Amino acid sequence: MIHEVIIITISQDNLVHVAPMGIKMDDKHLYISPFKPSKTLDNLLSMNKATINFTDDTRVFAGIVTGEKKDWPLIENNSFGIPILKNTNTHYDVTVIDINDDKTRPKIKCDIIEKKIHKPFLGFNRAQFSVIEAAVLASRLGMISTEKIIMEINYLKIGIDKTSGPNELEAWKWINKKINSFISKENKKNG
Ligand SMILES: Cc1cc2nc3c(=O)[nH]c(=O)nc-3n(C[C@H](O)[C@H](O)[C@H](O)COP(=O)(O)O)c2cc1C
């Protein structure tokens, strides 16, 4: 099972980096698979730690992959030394214990040091699922055919129309702006 989370890392010069990623986990360990090259991978290799943020605010995923909003409020004074997302439901502090290197996508095994619940889980929401799926599409423009993207966005919109709140609507707007601008550039290129 893959959990879509927000991973926060820091660089050697103490610069904070926030990125959406899919992770796998069991009770004690967690596995992160960043593509090469990536800032998250660099930071994990140099600093050996991260916070894993489980949030139902899907704007964080959409804001980062579309570039519409990359700066999210953080709680800096986490005693572990890595900030957490202010609007996270739960977070884990993790340390890197093993690296399974790979040409394109290494697998980083981490120990879970601490688990903290900050806000209750309020049940599943179809619009949040739609935003996460669409954010993945928006992060793979140029790799997936335009026809497939349009078809999938049209299907995912059903969940948005029927079940969204203001956060999901805002995230959906950012994603559509990015996808539409990509498609109109492609159309111009192809005459
Ligand atoms: C829901 C979701 C899941 C993602 N999962 C991964 C992942 O597992 N590995 C990865 O490298 N990028 C993943 N991405 C894309 C990254 O968030 C994006 O490429 C990001 O810029 C990572 O690179 P960075 O660490 O240099 O910022 C995901 C994006 C979304 C929206």
Side-chain angles (χ1 to χ4, degrees):
M1 183 173 178
I2 294 178
H3 299 256
E4 307 302 346
V5 301
I6 302 296
I7 301 193
I8 303 184
T9 52
I10 51 166
S11 66
Q12 275 168 327
D13 357 328
N14 223 23
L15 292 176
V16 176
H17 188 71
V18 183
M21 295 223 169
I23 58 159
K24 291 187 180 171
M25 56 188 179
D26 53 41
D27 261 5
K28 293 203 174 97
H29 300 117
L30 181 150
Y31 304 84
I32 308 171
S33 300
F35 285 103
K36 279 184 179 173
S38 93
K39 189 78 202 146
T40 302
L41 177 61
D42 295 347
N43 289 349
L44 285 169
L45 296 183
S46 60
M47 303 302 284
N48 291 312
K49 53 186 189 173
T51 62
I52 309 297
N53 296 262
F54 302 84
T55 180
D56 57 15
D57 187 346
T58 54
R59 292 177 308 162
V60 185
F61 295 83
I64 292 172
V65 297
T66 60
E68 287 288 325
K69 183 167 164 61
K70 286 186 176 263
D71 265 359
W72 288 92
L74 302 175
I75 296 174
E76 303 276 354
N77 67 348
N78 179 17
S79 55
F80 185 61
I82 310 264
I84 63 170
L85 268 185
K86 194 169 171 209
N87 58 2
T88 197
N89 297 69
T90 293
H91 97 268
Y92 290 1
D93 294 328
V94 303
T95 53
V96 174
I97 54 165
D98 190 37
I99 296 150
N100 193 346
D101 203 6
D102 181 77
K103 234 178 21 208
T104 51
R105 204 174 183 190
K107 193 169 174 186
I108 316 271
K109 183 177 180 182
C110 299
D111 253 348
I112 302 171
I113 304 296
E114 176 86 60
K115 302 179 178 181
K116 279 200 184 132
I117 300 172
H118 305 273
K119 279 199 305 178
F121 167 63
L122 295 177
F124 298 105
N125 172 259
R126 292 167 60 196
Q128 288 168 354
F129 159 79
S130 294
V131 171
I132 296 295
E133 278 300 306
V136 172
L137 291 176
S139 74
R140 299 194 179 154
L141 295 175
M143 292 179 249
I144 303 173
S145 78
T146 304
E147 292 73 34
K148 188 169 156 65
I149 287 175
I150 294 171
M151 210 174 69
E152 295 202 4
I153 286 290
N154 285 340
Y155 173 72
L156 294 169
K157 189 169 178 295
I158 300 169
I160 296 289
D161 289 343
K162 291 190 171 165
T163 73
S164 63
N167 287 355
E168 294 74 31
L169 279 181
E170 188 166 28
W172 189 251
K173 195 180 72 193
W174 293 339
I175 290 168
N176 275 271
K177 187 173 159 200
K178 169 143 183 177
I179 292 179
N180 290 338
S181 126
F182 174 82
I183 293 175
S184 75
K185 273 187 208 141
E186 284 290 288
N187 288 345
K188 268 190 206 142
K189 233 180 19 196
N190 302 329

